[in-house]
Amino acid sequence: MRLRRHFDHGDSTGIDLAPMLDFVLNLLIFFIITAVFVKELGIPVARHGGGASGAATGKEAGSISVVSKDDGEVLVDSRVVDVRAVRANIERLHAQKPEWGVMVTAEQDATADLLVQVIDQIREGGVDNISFGTSSS
């Protein structure tokens, strides 16, 4: 009788890549969907044209000028006022020109605490249109 050789071609020694491809496809879909919903938070900034000298006066730019100096003084429309008096001055000036906003200019070495107090007083004075700038002098 003739001997037949039996070869088992069914056994494979390779790696099945189908589960890995399914996993990568699922990750890709997950990252695409989550990337659409990620939104960065930011603060809207209104920038005025011109240099710091034109914006610091406020009259040319159509805004009320508030300057926070590095020695702790606060100037409202070129007048030295106490921080607690900023609100009253802003209310008075805003009543005269209700379409104007407020331009807050802080000197380079002015403290953040003073600047926050000034901004709080401006908001309590009824003005929400606040722009910011810096000054070196």
Side-chain angles (χ1 to χ4, degrees):
M1 195 163 201
R2 216 166 144 194
L3 292 174
R4 292 186 199 165
R5 295 188 182 181
H6 296 290
F7 293 107
D8 192 12
H9 294 290
D11 290 339
S12 172
T13 59
I15 298 173
D16 187 16
L17 295 178
M20 185 186 74
L21 290 174
D22 290 341
F23 181 73
V24 170
L25 183 64
N26 285 333
L27 278 178
L28 179 67
I29 292 170
F30 174 76
F31 286 128
I32 289 173
I33 290 173
T34 56
V36 173
F37 297 114
V38 174
K39 293 187 180 183
E40 295 182 19
L41 298 176
I43 299 173
V45 177
R47 298 179 61 181
H48 292 286
S53 62
T57 60
K59 294 179 183 174
E60 296 87 7
S63 61
I64 302 166
S65 172
V66 177
V67 179
S68 173
K69 299 183 80 65
D70 56 358
D71 58 358
E73 288 183 336
V74 178
L75 292 135
V76 176
D77 207 29
S78 301
R79 290 184 19 214
V80 178
V81 297
D82 188 41
V83 176
R84 296 169 294 202
V86 171
R87 176 182 177 180
N89 284 290
I90 292 297
E91 286 176 347
R92 178 181 54 83
L93 292 170
H94 188 62
Q96 294 172 356
K97 301 282 186 172
E99 68 276 358
W100 282 10
V102 175
M103 178 68 182
V104 178
T105 305
E107 289 189 353
Q108 188 173 2
D109 294 330
T111 62
D113 181 47
L114 178 65
L115 188 61
V116 169
Q117 288 178 1
V118 167
I119 293 168
D120 287 341
Q121 290 291 317
I122 292 169
R123 295 225 176 189
E124 288 177 6
V127 179
D128 291 326
N129 184 8
I130 302 173
S131 301
F132 299 98
T134 58
S135 173
S136 60
S137 59

